[in-house]
Structures are given as structure tokens and as C-alpha cells.
Amino acid sequence: MSFDRRAVPAGAKLGTWAAPDGWPLRTFTWPSDGGRGSLLFLGGRGDIFEKYFEAFDRWHRAGWSITSFDWRGQGGSGRLSDNPRCGHADDFAPWIEDLAAFYAAWAATDPGPHVIVSHSMGGHLTLRALVEKRIAPDAAVLVAPMLGLKSAPFGPWLGAKIAHLMCRIGDPKRLAWKTNERPGVPDRARQALLTHDLDRYEDEIWWKAEKPEIALGPPSWAWVAAAYRSTLALEKPGKIESVTTPMLVLEAKADRLVDPRAIERQSARLPDAKLRTWGPESAHEILREADAVRDAALDEIGRFLDARAPRA
């Protein structure tokens, strides 16, 4: 069955939800009468939920009601700096507060079981919220989670020191690099970082051309420093070990944006987690990869949710 990746699905709605401090977050809701439960999708840094409509369709056809939102400061949820292209954040704590409040409201009104599927930075924030006991889903899927940053040729501790220094010697809100998701990679090479599927990659470009206001560029130095602080904090003994939520972790070993070694190390510390990996056939956006990878990932997620978050 064909699916139009460049249109809001029939029956779905875009809206706005006000965080406890009044900040408006752009939302996506797609109710289902399939009785399977409710799925909350959380994207990565700079993401927009439009990129994942095709995956949403697969889950919706399985009976899940789908909800998503753009993180504060990106997509259609405003900006945290005067530069609309800059992905700025002084700290990740406000995102945890947003997630905790949104989750509580969503779980109170949408039928269970309640599951979270999250990508990249969203995966990190999901795990951190679980560690801090701010959310309690029945199961969670972390897709290429940002459990460590690609810091070559530096290790994470030195990378953190450099980011801290760059915040002190200049405006922390300035762009950490000029273009793209990582330094030293020109825009024309961006696709290789994300997916081998040119058509799915061009879907993102199309959406951002249609809605220029949702497009975001590189992070600020403050975001980089905050990302190091937040990921390194999860390394402390006892943090991740306290999370008992059933979890599936999907990893691309050739990922050039997040650190696969950190994903493997942290997954091994989780009491109830399964790790599924892909080799050079997958880049960072596993759910937007070529069909062989994408379909296998969605099948894996479906089996996991059927086993660990069965129909109520």
C-alpha cells in the first residue's frame, strides 16, 4: 500500500500544547480505534515529526494511537536564541520538565499500554527521564540514542572540556560550527550521515522548503556543552542500573553522529534491555533508512511491543 510521506495523514491533527511555564510546543496526534494502546514518539536534535509520518503509519495500522511533539526550541516549538537557525539550549533540564509534564497529561487521557519510541537526542532524554523517575511507560524503544557524542579525535571528557572552554571565551549561543549536524561535513555530504535512502532524505528537504520556519541548523556551543554534561552524568554507577522499564535499543555501528560504543556500554547496564545492531548498511536514521533496514527495524519494534507491552 502506497503512503504519501509529504502529507499529514488523514485523521491526524497538528496542534499546540502549553508547557507548565506557558511555552507552546507543536504537537501531532493521530487517534486510532484499533485498541492497541498509545505510542509517544520523541525525535532527535533538530528533528521535525513530519520526517516520521511513514513509521507512524505502520504503527497506526497496527492499532496504535500516535502522539508526538517538537522539542522546545526546535521545529515548530519556537527558538531559544535570537538566531532561528541555531539549535540552542543552556541545559537539558527544561526538556526533561516538558517531557514529564507532557507524558503525565498524555498518559492520563490516552488508553494504555503506553509506550515511547524515541530517536537520537530523544532517546537520551527518554533514558534520563526514566533514570530520574519522571515518566513510567510500559515499554520504551531507543533508536540510535544519543548516549555518547562522536568526539573523535577527542574522548568525551576532553570534548566536554573543550565545549566548556568555548562557552567561556565567546557567546555560548553562537553556532558551534557553520553547517550540518557535525563539524567538517559539508551540506552536500549530509545525506550520508543520516540515511542511504535518497528519496526519504529528500522528504525532509521538501518539508523544510514547505515550512521554512521549522528548519534548524547546527547547535550552539552551549548545547554541545550541555549534551556532554547530560550524557556523562548517565555514566555514574547506579544511574542506568535503576531503570527497570523493558527496553529495545537499536544501533547503527557505522553511526557518525552518536557513539555506538556508548550505546553498547549503556545498554549492557540496563536491567531489561535488548540491543539490535546494524552494520554499514545503516546510517543514523534507522527508521528512515532503505527498506531492508527500515522494515527490519519496524518488525523488531513490533515484536518487542507485542511481547513487552501487550494489548490491554
Side-chain angles (χ1 to χ4, degrees), residues 6 66 76 93 109 114 189 191 194 263 278:
R6 299 183 181 184
I66 312 297
T109 58
H114 299 100
Q191 180 201 336
L194 302 179
I263 294 174
W278 282 267

Side-chain angles (χ1 to χ4, degrees), residues 8 15 21 25 39 88 99 123 159 168 174-175 280 284-285 287 290-292 294 302 307 310:
V8 176
D21 65 353
L25 303 182
L39 185 154
H88 174 67
L99 174 55
R168 295 192 63 181
R174 72 191 188 281
L175 293 174
H284 181 60
E285 293 186 342
L287 296 181
D291 285 350
R294 173 189 170 275

Side-chain angles (χ1 to χ4, degrees), residues 249-264:
V249 184
L250 306 184
E251 171 206 18
K253 284 183 171 291
D255 204 316
R256 295 165 60 196
L257 293 179
V258 301
D259 186 357
R261 294 174 300 176
I263 294 174
E264 293 164 8

Side-chain angles (χ1 to χ4, degrees), residues 132-143:
E132 297 178 15
K133 312 302 181 188
R134 305 299 303 278
I135 58 175
D138 294 292
V141 180
L142 310 184
V143 183

Side-chain angles (χ1 to χ4, degrees), residues 23-264:
W23 192 283
L25 303 182
R26 188 177 70 126
T27 61
F28 171 93
T29 56
W30 194 3
S32 172
D33 57 6
R36 182 62 185 87
S38 301
L39 185 154
L40 175 61
F41 181 84
L42 304 172
R45 192 205 74 81
D47 254 345
I48 50 174
F49 46 67
E50 284 88 347
K51 292 169 57 175
Y52 301 94
F53 282 170
E54 189 178 17
F56 292 176
D57 175 64
R58 168 78 171 259
W59 297 323
H60 191 263
R61 285 188 284 111
W64 292 98
S65 292
I66 312 297
T67 302
S68 187
F69 64 86
D70 288 340
W71 294 107
R72 176 186 300 236
Q74 64 183 49
S77 296
R79 295 295 179 267
L80 296 170
S81 79
D82 293 335
N83 182 352
R85 286 275 296 153
C86 182
H88 174 67
D90 291 314
D91 192 83
F92 283 12
W95 286 331
I96 300 298
E97 295 301 319
D98 287 347
L99 174 55
F102 190 94
Y103 179 91
W106 168 74
T109 58
D110 289 41
H114 299 100
V115 304
I116 292 178
V117 180
S118 50
H119 169 69
S120 196
M121 186 185 80
H124 168 77
L125 294 171
T126 297
L127 185 55
R128 180 170 155 180
L130 287 167
V131 166
E132 297 178 15
K133 312 302 181 188
R134 305 299 303 278
I135 58 175
D138 294 292
V141 180
L142 310 184
V143 183
M146 190 187 77
L147 303 185
L149 279 67
K150 274 285 191 180
S151 302
F154 313 110
W157 293 100
L158 181 54
K161 289 182 180 295
I162 293 171
H164 177 70
L165 176 63
M166 295 302 290
C167 288
R168 295 192 63 181
I169 64 175
D171 182 2
K173 291 187 176 182
R174 72 191 188 281
L175 293 174
W177 45 85
K178 293 182 179 180
T179 62
N180 219 313
E181 274 71 13
R182 61 171 297 167
V185 178
D187 275 343
R188 66 179 179 276
R190 179 175 180 265
Q191 180 201 336
L193 293 175
L194 302 179
T195 174
H196 293 84
D197 192 294
L198 178 59
D199 289 340
R200 290 189 174 105
Y201 175 76
E202 289 183 342
D203 291 337
E204 176 189 1
I205 307 304
W206 184 89
W207 277 110
K208 290 179 177 179
E210 285 290 299
K211 302 179 179 181
E213 69 277 8
I214 66 176
L216 196 70
S220 67
W221 275 113
W223 182 95
V224 176
Y228 275 116
R229 287 197 307 272
S230 193
T231 52
L232 288 171
L234 290 181
E235 298 277 0
K236 295 179 180 178
K239 293 280 190 179
I240 288 179
E241 289 83 354
S242 69
V243 177
T244 58
T245 304
M247 202 166 302
L248 172 65
V249 184
L250 306 184
E251 171 206 18
K253 284 183 171 291
D255 204 316
R256 295 165 60 196
L257 293 179
V258 301
D259 186 357
R261 294 174 300 176
I263 294 174
E264 293 164 8

